[in-house]
Amino acid sequence: MTRMMPIAGDRGSSGASGASLLAARICLATVFLYSGATKLVYWSAGIEEFAALGLPIPALALAATVVLQIGAGMALSLGWHSSLAALALAAFTVAATLIGHPFWAFEGDDFHRQLTTALEHLAIIGGLVAIAAVGPGPFSLQPREHSS
């Protein structure tokens, strides 16, 4: 059973905070949904990008990335197993940032561009960790916990 209404004692159960958490989930999920959909539509370019990054078996890495970004992105936006989805996307973002934006290997303007992107990803990670910590809020498809 899923719940769409606040339950007494839930953190973030007020309408205003619930709407804020819904907006946060949707904003964070949009980044991943767009990225995953773009990689799916431009599959060949994605394989070339992953190969250029030196990833082994680029097609498999791309497929896993697309599944994670779209699957966890949808789960996060809907508030379904949101903590798990947010933590999976946060871990993915850490790895993707370290692989794709090694700012420490650049100099000058390239260093600043890569560092800025890495810091933007850090902000996304912070938002994902916050959602994982507080839960999806009342406007979600989060499975209801049953007491025995």
Side-chain angles (χ1 to χ4, degrees):
M1 180 63 107
T2 58
R3 67 177 154 94
M4 293 296 290
M5 301 300 296
I7 294 175
D10 272 2
R11 288 181 286 171
S13 63
S14 76
S17 64
S20 296
L21 287 169
L22 174 62
R25 288 193 339 258
I26 290 171
C27 289
L28 288 164
T30 298
V31 173
F32 297 98
L33 292 170
Y34 173 78
S35 181
T38 301
K39 285 175 178 62
L40 186 59
V41 170
Y42 300 104
W43 187 262
S44 295
I47 290 175
E48 289 175 16
E49 177 187 357
F50 279 36
L53 290 171
L55 294 174
I57 317 171
L60 181 59
L62 180 60
T65 296
V66 168
V67 167
L68 177 68
Q69 288 184 320
I70 293 175
M74 285 300 299
L76 181 63
S77 67
L78 296 171
W80 185 71
H81 295 287
S82 59
S83 292
L84 179 60
L87 290 175
L89 290 169
F92 167 81
T93 304
V94 168
T97 302
L98 293 173
I99 293 167
H101 302 284
F103 57 88
W104 57 89
F106 292 88
E107 294 181 10
D109 289 343
D110 289 335
F111 167 81
H112 293 291
R113 275 191 288 277
Q114 293 293 330
L115 179 59
T116 297
T117 301
L119 292 172
E120 289 167 350
H121 289 186
L122 183 63
I124 292 168
I125 292 163
L128 291 166
V129 170
I131 293 293
V134 302
F139 305 114
S140 69
L141 297 178
Q142 188 74 19
R144 184 182 301 194
E145 293 186 22
H146 298 282
S147 56
S148 301

